[in-house]
Amino acid sequence: MTASPPTSGRTAHDGPHAPHAPRAPHAAGAARTAGAARAARAARAAVSGDGDRLPPPRAPLGAQTWKEITHLLLNLPMDIAGFLYVCVWIYCGVLLSVTVVGLPVLALGLVGCRQFGKAERARARLLLGVRVEEPTPIRHRVHGGFFPWLWTSLKDPVGWRHALYSFVRLPWGLLTFSVSFVSLFVAWPALPWLARGLTHVDRAMVRGLLSPSDELERRIAELESDRRTVADTASADLRRIERDLHDGAQARLVALAMGLGLAREKLLEDPRAAARMVDEAHGEVKLALAELRDLARGIHPAILTDRGLGPALSNVSARCTVPVTVSVDLPTRPAPAIEGIAYFTVSELLQNVSKHSGAARASVDLWRTDDRLLIQVTDDGRGGARTDRGTGLAGLAERLGSVDGLLDLDSPAGGPTTVTAELPWRDPADG
């Protein structure tokens, strides 16, 4: 008898161990439920703040603001000290001025005011970022004695301005200390703006009363330095001329005198030997004359005086070991002093080209622009020249600076080298 097929929708395998495929929809729903739970927990953590790291705390005031506040708080003790110093110094100096010690007390007090101003500039530089140049020191006359020192110290404008600064600062120091100290406790949100405004006044007072006198003082310092450079250069030139005369022409003239003396003694005994000695002496005379001409050319060449810079520079370039092209575009001749400086500048630069450049060619150009005489020497050598090695270029730059000139060097490694010199233009009528 044949078994009939089951009439229900379930198979013989239906039951607890049925295949898992029909249950897949229930597993997906469970996964969705777990994901929703995790999202809910993340949302609750975000609301509560437990899931994020807090940002680091920040100071309410910046570092520069604290520096400005410190400067304002230090104003009062510094201004009290400066005010008391000036008052005691003036009181003692005026009372003692009827005696021999009063004026020296005033002079020494001005020196102390300079030192107090130096401390105030350092405080402003450290806390306010104000950089003020240091005034030039008092220059007393060398071997001038006591009274020139006293007079120079008493008429020191920098010392008196520093004394004025110390004297007038006390009310301002009291005001800034009070405002900044109280604002630290009751108005600290507005303190950065208050500190910046108050310190702007401090900056103005430091620049106005503690800076060098003016441009004239700096110009005087530059001229004094230039005068020393000119004196050193002149002294070096005199020593060079003396050495050249002693080692060159003088030695030849001494040998000439000795040779002529020997020739005179042999004139009757051996006329032929005397004639040879005279010929040798004649050769020594020619060499001595050539050395004297070279020495005179080193002092001031005659061709420069007679014909000007163009022919003179063509002459000096002909003695250079490198072919040189000379171009001079000057409508008139400058003053003899400027003309001589320009000539020796080009001469020294061409000597450097011959000795150090390894160039195949060079050029020299001169022209005038407004009230300046410009000189440009260019070569195609190896380059790499410097002005900070104690070489001839450094000395040349100093000598040009002594007459308000400039020296600019452009010499990259591998070349080319271009040296540009500037000199002030002066007409012959101006000297």
Side-chain angles (χ1 to χ4, degrees), residues 324-392:
V324 180
T325 302
V326 178
S327 173
V328 178
D329 183 14
L330 298 177
T332 58
R333 294 180 62 174
I338 300 299
E339 201 172 47
I341 295 172
Y343 173 83
F344 288 109
T345 298
V346 174
S347 177
E348 185 166 346
L349 291 175
L350 289 180
Q351 288 180 14
N352 289 338
V353 171
S354 298
K355 294 178 181 179
H356 309 295
S357 69
R361 64 181 61 86
S363 63
V364 176
D365 297 285
L366 274 80
W367 70 96
R368 178 183 177 181
T369 301
D370 297 331
D371 58 347
R372 307 292 286 181
L373 172 63
L374 281 85
I375 306 167
Q376 191 170 82
V377 177
T378 305
D379 67 76
D380 59 353
R382 65 178 63 95
R386 300 279 296 275
T387 59
D388 55 354
R389 294 178 179 174
T391 58

Side-chain angles (χ1 to χ4, degrees), residues 20-33:
H20 296 286
R23 298 180 60 185
H26 299 283
R32 286 194 296 268
T33 303

